Amino acid sequence: MSSPSPRHLLSVLDLGPEELADVLRTAASFEAIGEREIKKVPTLRGRTVVNLFYEASTRTRVSFELAAKRLSADVVNVSAAASSVEKGESLKDTAATLRAMGADAIVLRHPSPGAPAMLTRWVDASVINAGDGAHEHPTQAILDLYAVERRLGRLDGLRVGICGDVAHSRVARSEALAFRRMGAEVVLVAPPTMLPLGVDALDCEVSYDLDAVLGSLDVLHVLRLQRERHADPLVPSEREYVQGYGLTVERFSRLPEEAVVLHAGPMNRGIEIAQEVADSSRSLITQQVSAGVAVRMAILYLVLGGTVPAEGEPAEAASGGSA
Ligand code: CP
């Protein structure tokens, strides 16, 4: 994994199935660190990670910060709203400033699709995509793989439904690519107005009818209704959206007994997902959040030049033991 040029994570497509499996295995090894009294290893001591966020975030920003700190990296959080971006500074100049101060990795969330890819041309730090517009959110997809594999014991052969506002969802796109890469079948379920142009490129089944697919699913990922990204209403009303595509208690009862529910958050409870479903034991929402720290530790570790530990070997053993 070591390389003289920086390694980036811009898209799920940057990782083949073997590399995704490596990240999941490394994350499993790091998860134990979070259960110790002293939740820290020296793996990235002396390295600097900058979280550069141009959009709001709770889960992704906090879990990247915790992940970097648990690996002993120095961490700086930059929010566009409280930086010189407010005075008109460009992404390029902001990134050059951060690099000049010694950033080894920049974790970027940005409203423009492709912004992390542009950043790789301007800095020699590693760039990790923490969500770029409606394009991709690869670390979310990988942590979802992790949470599902932990619960169901496999990814290959699962049938995964991704339901809702697919067109505006970077999570849906990364998730579909990630599950397909790991051998799962994916069915995208949405009203026609919420499917993106070029949906065929995702190589997934498409359905307009949630009720028709419910009984065949092992996993149902419920997407947030992204009202802030709708220029015009895409459904006649929220009530009609719930009638057609909301995961109500009644629909939940028609999922197979072992099937699990995902939601990347933040949730609109009572719209895309019922309160009782979100809080049920078959919802992996809390497990998704917990997985976020271990998976982002694994991603920072691999991107910044760590070696993949051998099967059964703790990740810290490859890099010098406990702090
Ligand atoms: N799932 C997710 O990206 O959440 P945040 O917007 O809170 O980071």
Side-chain angles (χ1 to χ4, degrees), residues 53 56-61 109 137 140 170-171 264-266 296:
F53 277 60
S57 168
T58 301
R59 283 148 282 265
T60 311
R61 197 196 61 71
R109 171 167 290 190
H137 194 349
Q140 176 70 46
R170 53 195 175 210
V171 172
R296 287 170 175 132

Side-chain angles (χ1 to χ4, degrees), residues 30-60:
F30 279 135
E31 191 174 15
I33 293 166
E35 286 151 20
R36 297 181 189 165
E37 197 177 334
I38 297 176
K39 300 175 176 52
K40 213 161 196 176
V41 288
T43 312
L44 296 182
R45 190 155 52 201
R47 314 300 291 276
T48 301
V49 175
V50 175
N51 289 325
L52 177 56
F53 277 60
Y54 284 72
E55 276 186 350
S57 168
T58 301
R59 283 148 282 265
T60 311

Side-chain angles (χ1 to χ4, degrees), residues 2 4 22 29 34 46 67 88 104 115 122 143 148 150 152 158 160 188 199 212 222 231-232 248 260 279 290 298:
S2 297
D22 279 345
S29 167
D104 296 297
W122 300 327
L143 73 87
V148 168
R150 289 291 282 221
L152 299 182
L158 293 179
V160 179
L188 302 173
V199 68
V222 182
D232 296 308
T248 59
V260 294
D279 296 335
S290 309

Side-chain angles (χ1 to χ4, degrees), residues 162-165 188-195 207-211 214 220-223 225 234-235 238-248 251 271-273:
I162 302 177
C163 177
D165 192 359
L188 302 173
V189 188
T193 51
M194 290 187 179
L195 285 168
S207 171
Y208 304 143
D209 187 349
L210 178 58
D211 293 304
L214 270 180
L220 176 56
H221 190 124
V222 182
L223 299 172
L225 194 59
L234 298 179
V235 284
E238 278 181 1
R239 192 167 54 84
E240 281 149 299
Y241 181 80
V242 174
Q243 277 172 3
Y245 298 94
L247 185 55
T248 59
R251 283 201 174 102
I271 299 179
E272 69 263 5
I273 188 164

Side-chain angles (χ1 to χ4, degrees), residues 165-271:
D165 192 359
V166 177
H168 295 95
S169 175
R170 53 195 175 210
V171 172
R173 187 176 158 72
S174 289
E175 187 108 342
L177 293 169
F179 274 102
R180 292 287 296 122
R181 269 228 181 325
M182 299 311 280
E185 269 177 53
V186 176
V187 52
L188 302 173
V189 188
T193 51
M194 290 187 179
L195 285 168
L197 291 173
V199 68
D200 293 348
L202 291 173
D203 189 25
C204 298
E205 191 182 321
V206 172
S207 171
Y208 304 143
D209 187 349
L210 178 58
D211 293 304
V213 302
L214 270 180
S216 68
L217 299 177
D218 300 296
V219 177
L220 176 56
H221 190 124
V222 182
L223 299 172
R224 183 169 70 85
L225 194 59
Q226 308 210 18
R227 288 168 286 202
E228 76 281 11
R229 296 190 201 273
H230 299 171
D232 296 308
L234 298 179
V235 284
S237 69
E238 278 181 1
R239 192 167 54 84
E240 281 149 299
Y241 181 80
V242 174
Q243 277 172 3
Y245 298 94
L247 185 55
T248 59
V249 172
E250 191 280 318
R251 283 201 174 102
F252 181 60
S253 73
R254 286 191 277 127
L255 281 169
E257 214 166 290
E258 300 298 318
V260 294
V261 173
L262 302 176
H263 192 303
M267 285 181 276
N268 299 302
R269 286 176 185 258
I271 299 179

